[in-house]
């Protein structure tokens, strides 16, 4: 069973930055496409960004384009989400998700088999 673990969430002021990290418990880390989703209070979970297993393709939700950057280091078996110019609207629980290869519809929740427990990001105004 693949376990997914996120870290890096925190309380930050608007305009600030955070970097989230995600690791998965498999020796075949570079076989998995990865994504970030988020769920704000009273909202549905939504796709934020995703990255291919080799790290050569990335996609972003319109709401975060130009502010967030997804990346991965397969030698460290870690994926990152650099979040800059944070806004109160970015306040949410952020979840990492993994799927074996494949990148189609990568911001759709039902494409992913493995999920972490989430890390909280709170942006104060």
């Amino acid at each position: 069973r693949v376990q997914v673990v996120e870290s890096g969430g925190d309380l930050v002021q608007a305009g600030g930055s955070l970097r989230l990290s995600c690791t998965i418990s498999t020796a075949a880390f570079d076989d998995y496409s990865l994504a970030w989703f988020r769920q704000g209070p009273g909202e549905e979970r939504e796709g934020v960004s995703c990255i291919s297993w080799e790290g050569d393709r990335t996609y972003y939700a319109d709401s975060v384009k130009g502010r967030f950057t997804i990346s991965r280091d397969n030698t460290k078996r870690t994926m990152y989400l650099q979040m800059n110019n944070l806004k109160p609207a970015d306040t949410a629980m952020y979840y990492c998700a993994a799927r074996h290869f494949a990148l189609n519809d990568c911001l759709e929740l039902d494409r992913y088999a493995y999920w972490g427990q989430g890390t909280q990001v709170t942006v104060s105004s």
Side-chain angles (χ1 to χ4, degrees):
R1 178 177 173 82
V2 174
Q3 291 187 313
V4 181
V5 179
E6 310 95 333
S7 62
D10 206 344
L11 170 65
V12 64
Q13 289 189 332
S17 298
L18 278 177
R19 188 176 77 161
L20 305 182
S21 299
C22 170
T23 62
I24 62 174
S25 63
T26 174
F29 179 82
D30 52 359
D31 287 353
Y32 287 81
S33 297
L34 300 168
W36 288 100
F37 290 79
R38 68 185 181 185
Q39 187 167 16
E43 299 179 356
E44 294 185 353
R45 196 171 297 190
E46 64 175 0
V48 174
S49 183
C50 54
I51 188 166
S52 62
W53 54 97
E54 292 179 327
D56 58 339
R57 288 171 288 163
T58 59
Y59 298 92
Y60 297 90
D62 288 343
S63 58
V64 306
K65 281 180 182 176
R67 300 188 299 122
F68 291 10
T69 303
I70 193 170
S71 63
R72 64 190 294 163
D73 185 340
N74 286 350
T75 64
K76 296 181 179 179
R77 296 197 288 173
T78 304
M79 187 261 287
Y80 306 98
L81 185 68
Q82 178 66 42
M83 305 186 294
N84 297 329
N85 190 22
L86 282 161
K87 305 175 181 180
D90 295 316
T91 294
M93 185 72 77
Y94 283 71
Y95 298 91
C96 178
R99 62 193 286 203
H100 197 241
F101 290 118
L103 198 62
N104 56 298
D105 302 321
C106 72
L107 294 182
E108 298 294 325
L109 281 75
D110 61 2
R111 298 296 180 177
Y112 293 87
Y114 308 105
W115 291 82
Q117 295 298 306
T119 186
Q120 178 67 39
V121 173
T122 302
V123 185
S124 63
S125 58

